[in-house]
Each structure stands twice: as C-alpha cells, then as structure tokens.
Amino acid sequence: MDKNIICPKCKGDFNNFKCNQCGYEIEETNGVIIFPSSLVSTFDGYSLHTGLEQYMSEEPNVASDYYPRYIDDNASIVLDIGGGDGMALANFAKGNCSANVYVVDADIKNLSKVSKRNIDNLKPLNCSATSLPFKDKSVDVVFTLFMVEHMYDYQYSDFLFEAKRVLKDDGKLIIATDSDFYDKWVHPLFNRLKTTSFLEKYNCEKVAIDHHNLKSPFQTKKFVERHGFFVQDVRLHLISGKRLFAALMYEIFIPKIFYQKFLSTMFVVVARKI
C-alpha cells in the first residue's frame, strides 16, 4: 500500500487494503485503488453519460502542455481532483519523477486509462473529492479541472474544506472551471440551444451531474476566499483573446468587470491556504 494513503473514514493506516482502526476496506482493480462512497456511486460512469467523443475511446486523451505550468516543480505530492484519465497533469508527472501525482476521480472507466500512459508516479484513485485519503497538511498542490461546476454548493464547500485540510500551510489550490455566462448562454447558441443542463440546478429532486453549478470568476473568487484561501490570481480565457483586435478591445475599450462576466469562456483560480 502507498505510504501516503490513509483511511478516509478515520484517518488510520491500511494493512492489506483494510484499515487497522475502523475496518474500512478498499480494493484494487486494473491498477485503480477503489474507496467506496456515496459520491463515487453518484458520479460512476459519468464519462459515458456525457456522450462526448473524447470519453468514448479506450485510449487516454493527449496530455496537456498548458496546465502543468500551474504546478511548482518542487511539489512532492499533487492531487488532480476529478482528473479523469490524467490528461491535465500527465506531463508534469512525466517531467517530475520524484513527485507523486494522484489522479482522483469517481469514474472507474476514465481512471482505468491512467495506467496506459506508463507513468509510474501518476496514480489513479477512485474516491470522493470530499473525503480524501491523505493526512492533514501532507499535500503540496490540490488541482482540479472542470470538476466544481458539477457539484452543488454544499459539495463544493465540502471539497474546499477537505482541500484545506490536506494542504500544507503554504499549499496551493488551483481551480479551472467554465465561466457561467458563456457556458449557460453563448455556448448553447453555438450548439443551437441544445445545452440547457444548468437548469438542473433548479430541480432539487434530481441528482444533477452536468454543468448545473456555474459561477462567474468574481463569484468563484469570493467562494474560495470564504473557505480560508488567499486568491493570488484569476486567469481569464477570453473569447478570441489571442487575436490582436480582440486583445486591443480588452486592453483599451472593454471594462474588466464586463469582460470577465460576459466574455470569458473559462478561468483558472490560483490560491494559497491561509
């Protein structure tokens, strides 16, 4: 058993996949360590539910060159929460062999692709984002990409409290997520009004797993701050932001308070535990 992993229930140690203190049992299937929980059951099979082509393949997606820039090279324990097949931080793990990068996800199908990357220090865990199997103040970075918009606020809040628990005193929290106005209104227009999953937010009788909890960059910053983090930066990905004309418009004519709400497609929040 990995020495960094503990029982998410009582924080005891494991011996042959069973907790020495409370008897909680885990298992391993196809290289994925499975921690049974209600949240894991809710989101199991999500990749198939989406119907998106990138989830249908048996092979992992191409590893990102963008997101590793947010992880400090000296980080020794990194959690990629909702990491799926490990796409976001695979290149960081590959280039930092001394670091342990744990890909945490509720969908076993996605996690089973992690081992196909053949990166020994990229390790898949099937467990809940709100009950992480790590000691207090043991983690350098908690990273999450396109995950929090799938949670209700109480789950999102529990995740932030859990991230604060496992992070070291100078630990970093990275949240990359969709921008609310773009995903609710602009993106559906591009897709002929076919995307209305955010309306599930208003149906309290339904367990929603789509993009039902979208926030603006400002709302996300405030929400994260209320949970004991200092937000260092909010990196906006703006519509046509790489084009010269659009960049000039953003720089000179369009107020930031307007474009961060209406013209950002997604954003990345960089925060430190305080």
Side-chain angles (χ1 to χ4, degrees), residues 74-247:
N74 61 353
S76 59
I77 299 180
V78 179
L79 308 186
D80 180 4
I81 309 296
D85 65 10
M87 174 273 294
L89 299 185
N91 280 339
F92 172 82
K94 188 175 182 178
N96 295 268
C97 297
S98 62
N100 286 295
V101 181
Y102 296 91
V103 183
V104 175
D105 203 280
D107 191 339
I108 297 177
K109 175 178 172 56
N110 250 341
L111 286 172
S112 65
K113 302 175 189 177
V114 173
S115 61
K116 295 182 179 181
R117 296 188 184 276
N118 296 314
I119 303 174
D120 291 340
N121 59 328
L122 190 67
K123 307 175 181 181
L125 301 179
N126 181 230
C127 67
S128 170
T130 61
S131 183
L132 297 168
F134 295 91
K135 296 178 181 178
D136 295 1
K137 301 182 179 182
S138 64
V139 173
D140 295 287
V141 180
V142 172
F143 172 93
T144 180
L145 171 65
F146 299 140
M147 190 271 292
V148 296
E149 65 271 17
H150 298 276
M151 297 175 131
Y152 286 116
D153 270 354
Y154 72 90
Q155 296 168 327
Y156 193 170
S157 180
D158 285 344
F159 160 63
L160 290 175
F161 282 131
E162 186 69 348
K164 186 177 181 183
R165 179 188 69 80
V166 301
L167 279 170
K168 296 176 181 177
D169 288 336
D170 61 344
K172 182 183 285 188
L173 173 70
I174 313 293
I175 297 177
T177 183
D178 291 293
S179 196
D180 62 337
F181 186 84
Y182 178 85
D183 209 54
K184 287 178 182 179
W185 306 109
V186 180
H187 192 253
L189 284 174
F190 290 156
N191 288 277
R192 300 182 181 180
L193 299 176
K194 292 180 180 179
T195 307
T196 56
S197 60
F198 75 91
L199 292 173
E200 291 184 0
K201 177 178 181 179
Y202 304 101
N203 183 359
C204 294
E205 297 179 355
K206 184 175 182 180
V207 178
I209 60 175
D210 289 309
H211 290 192
H212 62 276
N213 194 7
L214 294 151
K215 299 182 186 297
S216 70
F218 178 78
Q219 289 172 324
T220 300
K221 178 178 182 291
K222 291 299 181 183
F223 194 74
V224 170
E225 288 175 337
R226 288 202 301 270
H227 290 80
F229 291 91
F230 172 74
V231 174
Q232 297 175 294
D233 197 4
V234 179
R235 307 294 298 169
L236 301 173
H237 290 226
L238 299 170
I239 296 175
S240 298
K242 295 180 181 180
R243 298 181 181 274
L244 177 60
F245 177 76

Side-chain angles (χ1 to χ4, degrees), residues 6-20:
I6 62 171
C7 176
K9 298 277 188 182
C10 71
K11 306 303 182 277
D13 294 322
F14 281 106
N15 181 20
N16 293 326
F17 295 93
K18 185 174 182 178
C19 177
N20 291 327

